[in-house]
Amino acid sequence: MKKQGAEKIKKDILARFARITKQAKKHDARAKRRLPGGDTRNASYYTPYPAYMERGKGCYLYDCDGNRYIDFVNNYTSLIHGHGHADIIKATQAQLKKGTVLCSPAVVTYQHAELLCKRIPSVDMVRYGNSGTEATLFATRAARAFTQKDMIIKMDGGYHGSHDLVEVNIRPGTPAKGMPIRHLEGPGIPKSVLKDILVAPFNDLNALETLLKKYKEKIAAIIMEPMIGSLGMIPPQPGYLKGVRNLCNRYNALLIFDEVMTFRLSTGGLQAISDVEPDLTALAKIIGGGFPVGAFGGRAEIMALFDPTFPEGPRRMGHSGTFNGNNITMAAGIAALKAYNKNAVNKINRLGDKLRKGFNKAFKTVGIKGQCTGLGSMTQVHWGDRNIITAQDTFKGMIESQDLQTLLHLDMMCRGIFSAPRGMFVISTPMTEKEIDKAVKAFELSLKVLKPYAADVAPGLIA
Ligand code: PMP
């Protein structure tokens, strides 16, 4: 039972949020009549209802109620240059005049592919789709076709989009003898999926080897984010990714890195930083310059299966999509990638370090147990002081903190800071030290408001 003090703090935060979002509330009520829940993707929903953002400029968002926010969401890491980058607008407008998609190969498509291959040494060739979901769908399918095997291993708490095969253990499974119990992520996904997908805890080479040994010669590939993303921004332990690579080699399985989010960590993604080359890479988000995109690429001999002239047989792959590699996305993506040079990478990664340091200090100053994980421009707030090594560790903190994160998110919105409701903060290139300082200040003030709440609902979090 929440004590009266906690109830009052919650009520105050909700009342402040309601005061600054009166128009949004009306939009929400109307939208809910035609869109289940009022919107069309889960990630943009939060309680009691989301603000209605009307426009963005640089690293700022402006909502329909006249509020301005620093945008730390960046459409879930994808808008690396924030909103309205001049080069991206110019490239997109020029392309728009020529046509959006002409149902023919386009110069911009191979130019975009050349850029990616130059930046990612493990990628010899690329194919495009319109989402990260398609990227991981086709990367896993290519691995199965190439190896002529069916089983795939994914990480507990790993998110790879919303196709059936990877809708397993996005929320971590209950551990049983060191191995997470597998579960489907929701209704509608056939139980038969569990026949072909295995789940290992992140950062645990022994568990991975146990699976590889047990299902010898049946595993087509391991698919993983080199840093667990949505379930906690958990970096790999030193030597872990190299260990995974070695295991794949030893047990004859392909390695797929899902760098849909982590590609923003350097010009060549997290694989360049960790010096580990996967066989296939899934990409999306920043490579489309703000437009829908997905791509997968890798070793030439695997990607050759997608060549329509590949000999007919069990390995030749089909791959269709009306808007695959469309000219608008490609033109915008080229401009975005060109602007994302080493200087830009260093800048946003440095700002990310500053943000994590500032937030960690705020936790200490206020006297709440909490910490930030992440790398470079991507940060995740965790409640509690346990070591965060696996997704299960993140999950324990989520349970212990009850609705503290929801309230932190709303309280920070009232202070002009827009972050992902789950506690993710992402830096974009238009940001400066000024925006980081503002966020750190707001974070500290929100923690102060929430400390008595924490003392009531999660006393273990009080330092
Ligand atoms: N993989 C990862 C690591 C992601 O973070 C996401 C999206 N958040 C996806 C795949 C799916 O991408 P999309 O939403 O474009 O389908």
Side-chain angles (χ1 to χ4, degrees):
M1 256 277 283
K2 275 180 200 135
K3 299 197 185 137
Q4 258 182 357
E7 281 304 340
K8 184 172 177 322
I9 291 164
K10 185 173 186 172
K11 236 170 107 182
D12 284 352
I13 293 173
L14 288 171
R16 267 189 285 132
F17 182 74
R19 270 202 297 282
I20 66 161
T21 55
K22 290 192 178 114
Q23 293 305 319
K25 189 174 181 183
K26 286 184 194 160
H27 282 307
D28 182 64
R30 186 166 161 193
K32 276 186 173 132
R33 294 208 290 269
R34 296 294 173 217
L35 300 163
D39 200 1
T40 193
R41 63 192 279 215
N42 275 17
S44 56
Y45 176 79
Y46 45 92
T47 52
Y49 50 85
Y52 261 69
M53 301 302 177
E54 264 181 0
R55 68 190 172 88
K57 187 155 177 30
C59 61
Y60 287 90
L61 282 172
Y62 300 81
D63 74 8
C64 69
D65 285 280
N67 303 300
R68 185 178 86 151
Y69 307 87
I70 306 174
D71 181 10
F72 281 97
V73 183
N74 293 297
N75 193 26
Y76 280 83
T77 76
S78 53
L79 302 178
I80 196 119
H81 300 299
H83 307 271
H85 187 281
D87 293 352
I88 300 177
I89 291 181
K90 202 168 141 206
T92 311
Q93 282 177 338
Q95 186 58 53
L96 263 174
K97 287 184 190 148
K98 295 191 227 165
T100 58
V101 54
L102 311 173
C103 202
S104 108
V107 172
V108 277
T109 311
Y110 73 69
Q111 284 176 337
H112 192 288
E114 284 170 356
L115 257 177
L116 289 182
C117 295
K118 199 166 152 208
R119 289 186 175 199
I120 317 173
S122 71
V123 174
D124 299 325
M125 301 185 105
V126 189
R127 275 249 164 181
Y128 291 94
N130 293 289
S131 66
T133 295
E134 287 166 72
T136 65
L137 168 68
F138 279 98
T140 46
R141 193 181 285 176
R144 287 164 144 179
F146 185 76
T147 60
Q148 298 280 287
K149 299 189 257 183
D150 278 348
M151 293 183 92
I152 301 279
I153 299 179
K154 79 177 280 287
M155 295 296 142
D156 196 37
Y159 182 68
H160 302 291
S162 49
H163 57 95
D164 285 357
L165 181 70
V166 290
E167 282 277 342
V168 171
N169 286 49
I170 296 173
R171 274 172 303 119
T174 313
K177 292 190 197 141
M179 210 63 95
I181 296 176
R182 286 172 301 156
H183 62 265
L184 298 173
E185 217 34 70
I189 301 145
K191 287 192 191 69
S192 56
V193 164
L194 292 176
K195 251 185 17 212
D196 288 328
I197 187 111
L198 300 169
V199 178
F202 189 65
N203 271 329
D204 187 340
L205 289 173
N206 286 335
L208 195 57
E209 185 155 22
T210 304
L211 288 181
L212 286 161
K213 252 188 202 149
K214 185 166 172 198
Y215 295 91
K216 227 182 199 150
E217 292 310 319
K218 288 193 179 143
I219 311 288
I222 296 172
I223 183 166
M224 64 189 292
E225 301 167 86
M227 165 169 81
I228 288 279
S230 61
L231 233 283
M233 295 288 171
I234 309 173
Q237 298 281 91
Y240 173 65
L241 295 178
K242 283 214 162 88
V244 175
R245 177 70 269 181
N246 291 339
L247 285 175
C248 284
N249 295 350
R250 194 171 324 142
Y251 289 91
N252 222 359
L254 297 184
L255 178 58
I256 304 171
F257 273 176
D258 178 347
E259 293 235 49
V260 165
M261 281 217 261
T262 53
F263 186 57
R264 60 161 37 233
L265 291 175
S266 82
T267 52
L270 187 43
Q271 57 189 273
I273 298 170
S274 57
D275 197 22
V276 173
E277 289 200 357
D279 301 287
L280 289 164
T281 299
L283 298 163
K285 301 210 191 244
I286 73 164
I287 69 164
F291 290 85
V293 74
F296 57 97
R299 277 164 46 197
E301 58 176 333
I302 307 173
M303 295 307 290
L305 309 187
F306 292 94
D307 184 335
T309 63
F310 193 83
E312 193 78 62
R315 288 168 127 198
R316 186 166 107 181
M317 302 279 300
H319 175 228
S320 298
T322 306
F323 287 95
N324 284 2
N326 74 80
N327 303 30
I328 298 297
T329 298
M330 295 295 106
I334 289 170
L337 286 175
K338 283 189 176 159
Y340 195 51
N341 53 28
K342 284 206 167 94
N343 283 343
V345 172
N346 291 340
K347 177 190 167 184
I348 61 171
N349 284 351
R350 194 172 37 78
L351 291 178
D353 289 340
K354 184 178 159 83
L355 186 83
R356 278 186 292 279
K357 227 166 138 185
F359 280 8
N360 284 336
K361 192 162 161 232
F363 269 126
K364 286 222 158 66
T365 309
V366 177
I368 296 182
K369 289 181 196 165
Q371 62 190 304
C372 290
T373 58
L375 286 173
S377 60
M378 295 193 288
T379 294
Q380 174 70 40
V381 170
H382 296 262
W383 301 85
D385 56 3
R386 65 182 57 73
N387 272 346
I388 308 287
I389 311 284
T390 66
Q392 187 61 237
D393 300 323
T394 305
F395 198 53
K396 282 182 192 154
M398 286 162 67
I399 290 168
E400 184 186 5
S401 58
Q402 305 214 22
D403 52 359
L404 272 166
Q405 180 51 49
T406 303
L407 295 176
L408 176 83
H409 171 248
L410 291 179
D411 195 79
M412 287 190 77
M413 281 194 74
C414 296
R415 299 174 197 281
I417 308 293
F418 186 58
S419 59
R422 65 175 185 242
M424 181 182 72
F425 291 74
V426 180
I427 312 287
S428 60
T429 60
M431 283 187 189
T432 64
E433 309 250 334
K434 189 178 90 182
E435 281 80 25
I436 306 302
D437 289 339
K438 279 189 180 167
V440 170
K441 182 94 207 126
F443 186 73
E444 187 175 327
L445 290 172
S446 294
L447 285 186
K448 279 186 181 146
V449 168
L450 288 170
K451 189 174 178 185
Y453 188 86
D456 272 358
V457 304
L461 292 178
I462 302 301

